[in-house]
Every structure is written in structure tokens, then in C-alpha cells.
Amino acid sequence: MTKHAKHPDPNRPKIGVVLGGGGLKAMASIALFKFLDQHDLQPDLIAGCSAGALVAAMKGAGFSNNKMQDVAFEMANPELFSKFEMGTILGVADLPGFKFDNSSGLMNPDKVRALYRKWFGKLKLQDLNPKTILSVTDIVKGEAEVLETGRVSDAVYASGALWPLFPPAKFEGRMLIDGGYALPLPVYEAVKRGADVIIAMIFDETPDPNPKSFTGCLNNQIGTMLRTLSRSQTALAIDMHHYETILIQFTMDPPEAMDEDYVPFVLETGRRMVAKRAKSILSAVENFKRM
């Protein structure tokens, strides 16, 4: 059951939180919600992409900060990402009897999707509070979309379906994949919806100079794409925004490891990153009130 946000001060700004993707790194955004809770600054809108979509949905569904941290540890289980589809892999080589197309994925997503269904049940995006929107990419049209309705568990999977590793999501008649391919940091969506103070968290990592696997090479290339799109789209969004956008950059070196031991490091790094921008966030809110 979702919790309704309380806004005791009618003069405070409309706050939008925007979370990019980045695997376990996106769990660092839990620190931002802790900070906002401490200062009674509940967001009016949360926009998420990929792993950021999972955190956005958890907050919108009313998960406590402790529960979100528990989810971070569950998502760090390497078993979730260990089952490969051999028939699909053989289809990449175009061997007789095997295929690879827009509906294919190299990994089986059943365990991940089962977790999403366990956490969100039959909740729908339109039930979440604050309003929660998730970015996706239509693999057929090659265009960015934003999901505002539909089953949360399916929408979260769609926003993080990193094709070709994971197969696209069949969502309300569309074939959807990771939002990072077209809208990795949906700041403009918060601008369009009238957010006064926008807090955006970007999750990045230093490229591996010597990747030794297919996923390592793919990760490097996707990272390059995400950085390029995020910079150009965010610059345009900030230029169109009428008040203040605060960016919090989270960069990892070396690349992340899919391991539970990595989670405390991510959470603590997120706390430090948010602490560095704390004055900017609080000043933006106070200055708006004076206006």
C-alpha cells in the first residue's frame, strides 16, 4: 500500500526527483530519499530509468528506506543473472533451427521478474504516490516513451530490459526495452510536469580499459551511449527549466561487481554524494519560498 505524501507548507516548491540507470549503483539514490525524509521534503514526482526505475517504483509504492536497502541486497545476487538461453546464443550465429530477433534475449529474466512481482504484486503505476513515471524505449519504433499506467512489476522490468542481454517486455501491445537507449535521464519529463526544484542523480562508472568478456565490452559501449545522451538531453532540459535543477553525479571506479559485499559501499557513497549537494537542495527550497 502506498503512503500519501504530506506537504505541510503550501508555499514550498514542487519537487521532482529524477533517477538514471546504472545497475546496483542506482541504489545510491536511497540516500537521497533518506535526506528528503529527514527534512520533510517529500517529492511530488519521481521519474526513473532502468535501475533507477526500480528505486522510483519502490518509493512510489511506499517502501521504507530500510526495505529499499533490503531490495538492494536481493538484487545483488549473481544468481539472478546467471541463466543464459543457449538456443538464443546459437541463434546469434544463425545456425539452422535457432533464431535471434527483436523478441530474443541472451539471458532468462524469469528470476528477476518473479522478484518484481513479489515486491509490487498487482500495484499499478497510477496507484503510486508520489506520481511515478518510468522511461522505456520502443524497440520497434526506436523511440523513447514514458510509462504512467500499467502493472508496476511489468513496467519496472521494461524500463530495465537491457537488450540484447534481456528480452524486451511485451507491455500493452508494445515491445519495450531499457529506457537508457533513448531517455536515460528523464529530466525533461519533470520539467514538462511543472517541477520547480529538480534533483537528478546520474550513475556512471569509469570504462574498463581492457574488458575480457562480451558483457564487459557491451557495458563499455552502453556507458558511452548513456553519457552522450544524458549530457545532451539534460543540457536541453535545464535550458528550458524555469527554476533550479540540481545534479548529483555518482561515478564508480572500478566497474561495479554483482555482489552483496558491494551494496554497503554503494549506499555509503550515495550518502556522501547527497551530503555534498545538501546545501544546494535546501537553498533551492528556501529561496523558492522567499520568492
Side-chain angles (χ1 to χ4, degrees):
M1 181 177 294
T2 59
K3 297 180 180 179
H4 292 274
K6 297 180 180 180
H7 299 150
D9 186 350
N11 297 315
R12 78 165 187 82
K14 184 176 181 182
I15 298 173
V17 172
V18 180
L19 307 176
L24 281 178
K25 297 184 295 296
M27 295 299 170
S29 57
I30 296 171
L32 175 60
F33 292 120
K34 284 185 176 181
F35 172 81
L36 295 176
D37 288 346
Q38 289 167 0
H39 294 275
D40 198 23
L41 297 174
Q42 297 306 314
D44 301 88
L45 171 75
I46 308 176
C49 173
S50 196
L54 171 57
V55 184
M58 288 193 291
K59 185 63 177 179
F63 286 26
S64 68
N65 294 321
N66 286 337
K67 185 173 181 180
M68 286 196 281
Q69 289 181 180
D70 290 341
V71 168
F73 281 100
E74 288 194 71
M75 288 300 296
N77 182 358
E79 290 297 317
L80 294 175
F81 311 98
S82 62
K83 186 176 180 181
F84 285 85
E85 297 284 8
M86 293 309 301
T88 302
I89 292 173
L90 293 173
V92 174
D94 202 24
L95 295 177
F98 303 97
K99 70 171 186 176
F100 187 95
D101 57 24
N102 272 353
S103 65
S104 304
L106 300 178
M107 291 184 178
N108 186 307
D110 289 349
K111 291 182 179 179
V112 174
R113 303 198 75 165
L115 277 181
Y116 294 162
R117 288 191 292 269
K118 180 184 77 170
W119 294 328
F120 299 111
K122 296 182 179 180
L123 265 180
K124 296 184 177 179
L125 284 172
Q126 57 267 39
D127 299 328
L128 304 189
N129 192 333
K131 181 175 179 61
T132 303
I133 59 176
L134 310 180
S135 71
V136 295
T137 303
D138 188 314
I139 195 173
V140 177
K141 297 180 180 178
E143 298 175 351
E145 292 192 18
V146 174
L147 302 180
E148 301 184 57
T149 62
R151 191 72 65 85
V152 174
S153 59
D154 294 336
V156 169
Y157 173 76
S159 185
L162 188 62
W163 190 83
L165 292 181
F166 283 116
K170 297 178 181 178
F171 190 90
E172 299 181 350
R174 292 163 290 172
M175 297 289 285
L176 305 179
I177 58 173
D178 199 301
Y181 286 109
L183 190 59
L185 191 69
V187 174
Y188 182 58
E189 296 300 323
V191 174
K192 287 197 302 183
R193 288 164 173 79
D196 301 303
V197 174
I198 298 174
I199 309 166
M201 293 194 73
I202 305 168
F203 309 101
D204 197 3
E205 64 183 40
T206 304
D208 185 347
N210 187 30
K212 296 179 174 62
S213 66
F214 168 77
T215 53
C217 294
L218 180 65
N219 190 56
N220 274 359
Q221 300 311 308
I222 290 175
T224 299
M225 177 196 67
L226 291 177
R227 283 187 288 274
T228 302
L229 279 176
S230 294
R231 287 169 184 162
S232 59
Q233 293 177 356
T234 303
L236 176 62
I238 291 175
D239 186 59
M240 299 179 69
H241 190 210
H242 73 282
Y243 189 57
E244 187 158 357
T245 301
I246 300 162
L247 300 177
I248 302 176
Q249 178 99 18
F250 180 110
T251 303
M252 292 299 304
D253 184 20
E256 71 174 272
M258 190 58 65
D259 190 289
E260 289 185 357
D261 293 338
Y262 181 74
V263 175
F265 176 70
V266 168
L267 298 175
E268 172 58 21
T269 304
R271 185 196 64 78
R272 295 201 307 269
M273 295 297 99
V274 172
K276 287 182 179 180
R277 302 294 281 155
K279 289 183 178 179
S280 297
I281 296 170
L282 296 177
S283 294
V285 172
E286 290 304 314
N287 291 337
F288 185 89
K289 290 179 181 179
R290 294 190 188 102
M291 290 171 58

